[in-house]
Amino acid sequence: MASIFGHGFVAYTIAKVVDSTSHRLLVGLAIGSAMLPDIDVLAFSFGIDYHDPLGHRGFTHSILFAIIWSCILAFIFGKSRKLMFAVVLFLSTISHGLLDAMTTGGEGVGFLIPLDHSRYFFPLRPIKVSPIGIENFFSEWGVKVILSELQFIILPCIIVLVVLYVFKKLNFKK
Ligand SMILES: [Zn+2]
């Protein structure tokens, strides 16, 4: 994983960019959805192997999971904007796996589970992998993770948000 902060900030940015109304509930659901896939670390406590389709970076990081999850939430909360909810929540959920596939460590991401159990990384992997567990996060490793996420996740997101802000301001003036 990247850290939950990194995942959450990317989802916040996606929601702001895709949904021009910045619907609060949608932004909140998007952030939660981007953090959700790492719930699969619980698999370790059930003795499920990392490489298992249900192991860490397995099914909950897949495209199918993102589709099912976003459709369920869109159906429950989307009201008259189900399609917008589905799109933003799909992108937020799958962004988690995409970030993980750019990290320096762990296993690859099972994007195609259950069709194909292979794990994938992108050729470019600049993000330092985040430790599993809070005690490891507050360590030298944690500091390195934060610095790498500031550079490769937070800063690009801030640039996107600033551009979006300026663009909206200019549009309102017309
Ligand atoms: Zn993950």
Side-chain angles (χ1 to χ4, degrees):
M1 59 175 123
S3 77
I4 54 167
F5 311 109
H7 287 303
F9 200 64
V10 168
Y12 174 83
T13 308
I14 290 172
K16 287 279 181 186
V17 170
V18 180
D19 176 27
S20 57
T21 68
S22 294
H23 193 288
R24 267 207 198 156
L25 174 64
L26 181 52
V27 173
L29 289 173
I31 293 171
S33 297
M35 294 174 175
L36 178 73
D38 277 342
I39 194 147
D40 63 8
V41 293
L42 291 175
F44 289 125
S45 28
F46 291 107
I48 297 173
D49 192 68
Y50 206 145
H51 302 271
D52 191 277
L54 292 177
H56 185 40
R57 290 187 171 176
F59 178 65
T60 59
H61 290 58
S62 70
I63 296 170
L64 181 67
F65 176 83
I67 293 173
I68 295 171
W69 175 251
S70 55
C71 287
I72 290 173
L73 288 190
F75 188 74
I76 298 173
F77 299 105
K79 293 185 182 154
S80 60
R81 305 183 68 225
K82 287 188 175 60
L83 182 62
M84 174 59 81
F85 268 59
V87 169
V88 169
L89 295 172
F90 170 77
L91 293 175
S92 304
T93 312
I94 202 63
S95 76
H96 181 112
L98 296 175
L99 282 191
D100 277 0
M102 287 188 271
T103 57
T104 52
E107 287 294 319
V109 177
F111 286 116
L112 302 179
I113 291 172
L115 298 176
D116 167 11
H117 293 177
S118 311
R119 301 300 188 94
Y120 297 91
F121 274 120
F122 289 126
L124 214 62
R125 294 160 61 188
I127 304 167
K128 205 152 176 48
V129 72
S130 180
I132 294 170
I134 198 80
E135 65 278 9
N136 287 329
F137 194 77
F138 291 101
S139 64
E140 200 187 322
W141 188 7
V143 172
K144 283 187 183 151
V145 168
I146 290 169
L147 289 178
S148 109
E149 293 198 2
L150 278 176
Q151 193 179 350
F152 296 109
I153 301 177
I154 307 296
L155 188 65
C157 284
I158 288 176
I159 292 172
V160 169
L161 289 169
V162 168
V163 169
L164 182 73
Y165 178 79
V166 172
F167 188 74
K168 274 187 177 172
K169 283 273 163 202
L170 289 176
N171 252 359
F172 277 127
K173 277 186 190 155
K174 273 181 192 168

